[in-house]
Amino acid sequence: MENQNNPNIIDSENKVQEAQQEKQEEILESKIYKCPNCGNFLSYDPKSNKLKCEYCDTLVELQAVEDAKELPYHQNVENQFIAWQGVKSIRCRSCGAVTMLSQYETAAKCPFCGASNIVELDEIPGLQPNGILPFRISKEDVHVYYKKWLKGKHLAPFKLKKEASKQPSQGVYIPVFTFDSMCNGTYTIRYGKHYTVTVGTGKNRRTETRTRWYLDSGVISNFFNDVQVEASKSIDQKTLSKLGGFDTDNASSYHNQFISGYSAERYDRSLDESFSDAVVIMDSVIKQMIISRYNADVVDYVNMNNSYNDITYKYILVPIWVFSYKYQKKTYGCIANGRTGKIIGKYPKSPFKISAIVLAVGAVVALAVWIYIKYFM
Ligand SMILES: [Zn+2]
Ligand SMILES: [Zn+2]
């Protein structure tokens, strides 16, 4: 309150604030995110949505970014992509994955397979994404989800469950293209409906199922929003959908601050290839929409002529946590959705638990046989 009467204090406070802000901007502009307090590297912290120093817990505000923009898609648009600045690429000699790191970071391990056989590449790191969906699940949180997931796996060894919180996990962004499009199509469909008839006489009297066939045609239209196509070498489309997809509508414009402390995979499939994949996905959705119009028991064929217009795309990085660990000389991998914590993957099955189940099933069968022999034979 007193400050209001003393312009000097306000002035000096403003100066301190200004200086702080300048320092913050300097940190963010420099692309080397160093802690203003201790000089160590800052990484993106999903919990506070700020940059955080791992050593002294200092938090630094992020630079404000807009939402990721939809860009018009047409052939050759990929040539207009800009080069990815402020990152360097590394390649895993073991699994071949090419990932990006903030320029100042060094990687000890491949985020996908855990191998330490890594080389830095001199080539340009590829094209810069126009959007990024930052991690929402932190490293601590993902271990809670992982533990819970393992708990539900009754065949997983006790030892593994016990050590779940110690399993190493790596945060990595994978490349995804999303497409919006208006689809207009025409189609013809041949479908059948079953009916039963009674045939024969006397002893031969019986019912038979027959099919009545229909031919129809029509028009269909549908707007697709953010059809997600993986452009990754390490994650396939099936895995992407198993992960439950990503809320790409909430993506921010790309900024290096979000990958600080993580790595990001370079895209492996081109924009045009990915659009062809999107068309396959959208065509199959349209086909299902057509079929659902008819109360058919069987569909012979659906011929479609779909045209896709007003196509826009986003090239977005989405976050996943990768667990890769050795258990009794075998490597296992699990991945978690960095937005929802959903986990999919393989886990070692305890031979002890499996043999216990085999024995238990065997015992039930033996008992059944014994009862059968004793009472029914
Ligand atoms: Zn610090
Ligand atoms: Zn690897």
Side-chain angles (χ1 to χ4, degrees), residues 34-42 52-58:
K34 281 196 173 175
C35 174
N37 186 35
C38 75
N40 273 302
F41 297 125
L42 298 166
K52 187 180 176 184
C53 172
E54 306 258 318
Y55 294 88
C56 71
D57 288 345
T58 297

Side-chain angles (χ1 to χ4, degrees), residues 117-134:
N117 200 356
I118 279 170
V119 279
E120 253 183 54
L121 301 176
D122 287 333
E123 56 182 283
I124 19 163
L127 303 164
Q128 180 169 298
N130 79 303
I132 185 164
L133 197 59

Side-chain angles (χ1 to χ4, degrees), residues 19-20 37 60 92 95 102 115 118 122 146 169 173 175 183 209-211 225-226 258 266 291 307 351:
Q20 267 176 354
N37 186 35
V60 174
C92 171
C95 76
S102 294
I118 279 170
D122 287 333
Y146 177 64
S169 63
Y173 287 99
C183 172
T209 301
R210 294 185 184 169
T211 308
N225 176 44
D226 275 11
F258 296 111
R266 181 169 70 179
I291 291 170
S307 73

Side-chain angles (χ1 to χ4, degrees), residues 269-305:
R269 277 180 76 69
S270 74
L271 181 65
D272 292 342
E273 280 175 311
S274 299
F275 181 66
S276 316
D277 293 347
V279 167
V280 172
I281 295 170
M282 293 187 286
D283 275 348
S284 77
V285 171
I286 294 286
K287 188 176 174 185
Q288 281 314 311
M289 286 173 67
I290 293 166
I291 291 170
S292 71
R293 287 180 172 179
Y294 302 90
N295 199 8
D297 293 312
V298 52
V299 173
D300 183 25
Y301 63 79
V302 181
N303 285 336
M304 301 186 295
N305 193 354

